[in-house]
Amino acid sequence: MSKVFKRLLGLAAVGGAAAAGVIYYLNRSGNNDDDFLDEFDDDFDLDDDVNPAAEREYVPLNAAQQAEDAEEKETQTESAEDTAKAEEKADAADTKSE
């Protein structure tokens, strides 16, 4: 009985290995659609997303200096506007007093 049991167990092991090999071969050879490569084709298509070079804005390397310059220009603009308003008020007051 033990000889028969050993032979059946050996035959089952060989049959299982053969079945696994056939399944592996069929899965490997039957699936050559390159689905994996198709998923990533759109990742490299950046031409639609990129703005023309004339429309691009770049981050300046000396941002602190430019921020100070912009703030200084803004202050000058505000003081020029205040001066212009004061002159207008003075002219208006002069015309009313005449």
Side-chain angles (χ1 to χ4, degrees):
M1 181 79 159
S2 72
K3 285 184 181 182
V4 174
F5 185 68
K6 285 182 184 178
R7 287 185 184 175
L8 285 177
L9 188 61
L11 185 61
V14 171
V22 168
I23 291 172
Y24 176 78
Y25 175 75
L26 292 175
N27 283 338
R28 200 70 176 156
S29 65
N31 195 4
N32 284 337
D33 295 331
D34 291 332
D35 290 334
F36 180 74
L37 296 176
D38 291 340
E39 292 177 8
F40 297 105
D41 285 344
D42 295 336
D43 291 344
F44 298 107
D45 192 18
L46 298 176
D47 293 336
D48 297 335
D49 298 337
V50 177
N51 293 334
E55 296 177 8
R56 292 185 194 157
E57 296 180 15
Y58 295 98
V59 177
L61 296 177
N62 51 356
Q65 179 65 30
Q66 288 186 352
E68 290 174 7
D69 292 343
E71 187 175 307
E72 186 176 315
K73 286 179 183 178
E74 185 177 311
T75 305
Q76 289 175 354
T77 304
E78 288 175 358
S79 63
E81 289 174 358
D82 292 341
T83 306
K85 287 180 183 178
E87 289 175 0
E88 287 176 9
K89 286 182 181 179
D91 289 341
D94 286 340
T95 56
K96 284 185 181 180
S97 63
E98 292 177 357

